[in-house]
Amino acid sequence: MRKRALLDPEITRRAALEAFRKLSPRHQVRNPVMFTVFAGSVLTTLLFLQALLGEGEAAPGFILAVTLWLWFTVVFANFAEAMAEGRGRAQAAALRRTRTTTLAKRLSGPSRDASRHAVPSTDLRQGDCVLVEAGDVIPGDGEVVEGVASVNEAAVTGESAPVIRESGGDRSAVTGGTQVLSDWIVVRITADPGETFLDRMIALVEGAKRQKTPNEIALGVLLAGLTLVFLVVTVTLLPYTIFAVGQAGTGAPVSVTVLVALLVCLIPTTIGGLLSAIGIAGMDRMIQANVIATSGRAVEAAGDVDVLLLDKTGTITLGNRQATDLYPAPGVTEAELADAAQLSSLADETPEGRSVVVLAKERYGLRQRDLHALGARFVPFSAQTRMSGVDLDGRQIRKGAADAVEAWVNSLNGAFPAAVRQQLESVAREGATPLIVAEGSRVLGVVRLKDVVKGGIRERFRSLREMGIRTVMVTGDNPLTAAAVAAEAGVDDFLAEATPEKKLALIREYQAGGRLVAMTGDGTNDAPALAQADVAVAMNAGTQAAKEAANLVDLDSNPTKLLETVEIGKQLLMTRGALTTFSLANDVAKYFAILPAILGGLYATQGGAGPLAALNVMRLNSPESAILSAVIFNALVIVALIPLALRGVSYRPASAAAVLRRNLVLYGAGGLVAPFVGIKLIDVVLVALRLA
Amino acid sequence: MTVWYWIGGILSLLLFVYLAWALLAPERFQ
């Protein structure tokens, strides 16, 4: 998906308008911090109108200046939210462009030969079957029920290389708006118009259904609590100053305008105003990584995850394992093993299967044969049997993982030769995958498949470990191979001979220990584990069941994306934490600006300045300029931090302690110092312009 | 002037109740 400039002029213009539309009390009331500012602005507006009539508590110009900047504070916070929403809407529009109405060839049954007639794609309903031929746009989300085709999914993924979609298996899902490049497929539509997967995602991205996440609610409680405390603090200053003036007989009690200004400066407006923008921007960043979240909660959970279950193939190792050697069992010739291995792999379209065929052809001169001509029946791989093969002239040839084949051989009253067991252990110890080939109850030998660990993955796992994330490699391989690959890749643990049940049990075990687990999956048999995991990333190319069970969908179908997903979630949480720290640290300087302005005139002995005027460490020009500078700084800092809220703080993998230390220094100390400098500067400018 | 103290006082009281509500039932503020 296209990267957008941070401040796209069109989005900025619309956000500016939207910021004023959001001034309605009904919108404001949902954010306690900003609603307090809103209420304060209304009060000072009334005070200004009264001052115009000549009976005001202060000069009308001063009240007007404070009032305007209070309104700006509300508008700037609205603007931040509108910017984030606008960017989300732009993303949604890009997604929606894939949703053009096309003519579909609706079939009367799930077969290419069924009668067909043309209908607009918007008339298609769940369960309808359509024929899509080369050059046609797929009219809706669905599952391939017949045929194989190459599909250009660039409209959804931005990836121009075509992908294969075929009936059965885990590559059967097609997305509406993508285009068939060659051959034909029959697609059963799985969603009514307006309810497709992408439609639901678009609604979420646009913020229409955005719900606050648990972390946002928790932070909201903290912010409301702080606002409440500061409200009490501010209100009590009025009777205090009235009392002090009465006792000393000099000075003036604090004005309501100044109290409102103080309250607004003390409550955490920075984080209160940017909170929703940060959340929306997090979802937006997910989408830019071509991952669609079903809720803000999912993005946030990705940042909290501490266990990653990673599929070995495609994530840790390159997808294509290659057959490199054949080791026959005692009493079996190499040619016999090669023949059986090739027969069992002829209809196996996986890269592994193809490499076995190629090895037999190149090394043993066996020509590729046609299964149909031989009258053979192909037995496809399943996650339960973990074997594939052929039935041919009464011969049952199978190849698969050692334990699966052994169970099969044993069930036929055969024996598993000790020499083969030794051979497969030595293959496994090298980190290669042994496949066993058997014919009926007779074990023929071992095929060695070589795994290639991806470059740079070890470093990535090391940085994850530093962040406190445990990586677990999940593989169908036997424990010896798994251990060798795990050691080479540098993962913390592995689950060998994994079945969907074992995966589910492992996730439950980690969750029982109070950990949050993330995983990826694409097959229907992954669905239970995906539903159980806290963060579940489904591949867009995967089955509908997997996508329904997951809370994130990767449009690129790239399992390595899980790592990026976690990083984006972490970045979201760090951004929120950093801006909260900054916002709270800002208060110190505001105290030093406003309190001397309120209290400096009390107990004055000479020249109008009392002992508390010593608090004016910034040497601000006058009480009015001090208050105005603090209010202006408070409003401008929201604008200044919008880019940071939208882009997120710079992310570097590090331990929680290191991140905390860095953020405390940067945003804590920075938040302490910045307003001293900022308020002083604004005061100097106000004086220079003779505005205060 | 005292009328503004009353207005400010009542407004503060209302804000106090509202904020206490936000504190105790945050899920209502979606």
Side-chain angles (χ1 to χ4, degrees), chain A residues 81-124:
Chain A
E81 192 181 74
M83 274 300 286
E85 283 173 355
R87 286 160 60 84
R89 247 196 306 274
Q91 299 277 17
L95 288 173
R96 192 171 277 139
R97 269 196 285 280
T98 65
R99 283 267 159 285
T100 45
T101 305
T102 49
L103 269 189
K105 298 166 189 158
R106 185 158 68 188
L107 298 167
S108 58
S111 155
R112 192 191 188 192
D113 306 324
S115 66
R116 66 182 87 157
H117 60 280
V119 293
S121 58
T122 46
D123 285 0
L124 292 174

Side-chain angles (χ1 to χ4, degrees), chain B residues 1-15:
Chain B
M1 204 54 237
T2 42
V3 66
W4 286 102
Y5 291 165
W6 278 106
I7 294 172
I10 290 167
L11 193 65
S12 305
L13 208 60
L14 289 175
L15 265 181

Side-chain angles (χ1 to χ4, degrees), chain A residues 362-380:
Chain A
E362 287 179 351
R363 192 86 57 86
Y364 303 98
L366 292 173
R367 291 203 34 227
Q368 201 165 328
R369 291 157 285 185
D370 183 4
L371 270 187
H372 287 290
L374 294 171
R377 191 178 72 83
F378 177 59
V379 180

Side-chain angles (χ1 to χ4, degrees), chain A residues 29-32 35-36 43 46-47 50 57 211-212 217 221 224-225 227-228 231-232 235 238 242, chain B residues 1 3-5 7-9 11-13 15-20 22-24 26-30:
Chain A
V29 82
R30 285 183 289 174
N31 182 340
F35 184 71
T36 304
L43 184 63
L46 295 175
L47 283 164
Q50 191 220 12
E57 56 172 10
Q211 294 274 304
K212 278 187 188 163
I217 290 177
V221 168
T227 309
L228 195 70
L231 176 70
V232 174
V235 168
L238 180 66
I242 293 172
Chain B
M1 204 54 237
V3 66
W4 286 102
Y5 291 165
I7 294 172
L11 193 65
S12 305
L13 208 60
L15 265 181
F16 187 91
V17 173
Y18 160 77
L19 287 169
L23 201 62
L24 298 174
E27 68 285 347
R28 302 286 291 273
F29 288 78
Q30 286 287 352

Side-chain angles (χ1 to χ4, degrees), chain A residues 478-547:
Chain A
N478 66 69
L480 280 174
T481 311
V485 177
E488 193 183 344
V491 291
D492 297 318
D493 200 357
F494 62 88
L495 175 68
E497 292 170 352
T499 56
E501 293 79 22
K502 275 194 190 172
K503 243 192 216 179
L504 188 62
L506 183 69
I507 294 175
R508 291 210 170 120
E509 192 184 311
Y510 275 118
Q511 286 174 334
R515 285 167 169 265
L516 290 174
V517 183
M519 69 168 287
T520 57
D522 55 4
T524 301
N525 54 23
D526 286 329
L530 285 168
Q532 180 70 34
D534 300 282
V535 173
V537 185
M539 305 291 107
N540 192 43
T543 61
Q544 195 67 24
K547 285 200 264 182

Side-chain angles (χ1 to χ4, degrees), chain A residues 12 60 74 79 98 153 170 181 280 329 355 415 423 492 532 543 546 562 574 646 668:
Chain A
T12 311
V74 183
F79 177 68
T98 65
E153 296 198 332
D170 292 342
L181 294 179
I280 299 168
S355 77
Q423 188 60 54
D492 297 318
Q532 180 70 34
T543 61
L562 183 61
M574 282 181 200
L646 295 182

Side-chain angles (χ1 to χ4, degrees), chain A residues 609-624:
Chain A
L612 289 170
L615 284 175
N616 185 7
V617 291
M618 286 182 266
R619 300 275 160 247
L620 301 176
N621 185 54
S622 66
E624 286 77 18

Side-chain angles (χ1 to χ4, degrees), chain A residues 447-462:
Chain A
V447 180
R448 179 176 184 268
L449 290 178
K450 197 168 169 290
D451 254 320
V452 186
V453 171
K454 281 186 177 176
I457 202 85
R458 203 184 167 83
E459 291 66 37
R460 213 144 172 199
F461 289 148
R462 191 183 307 132

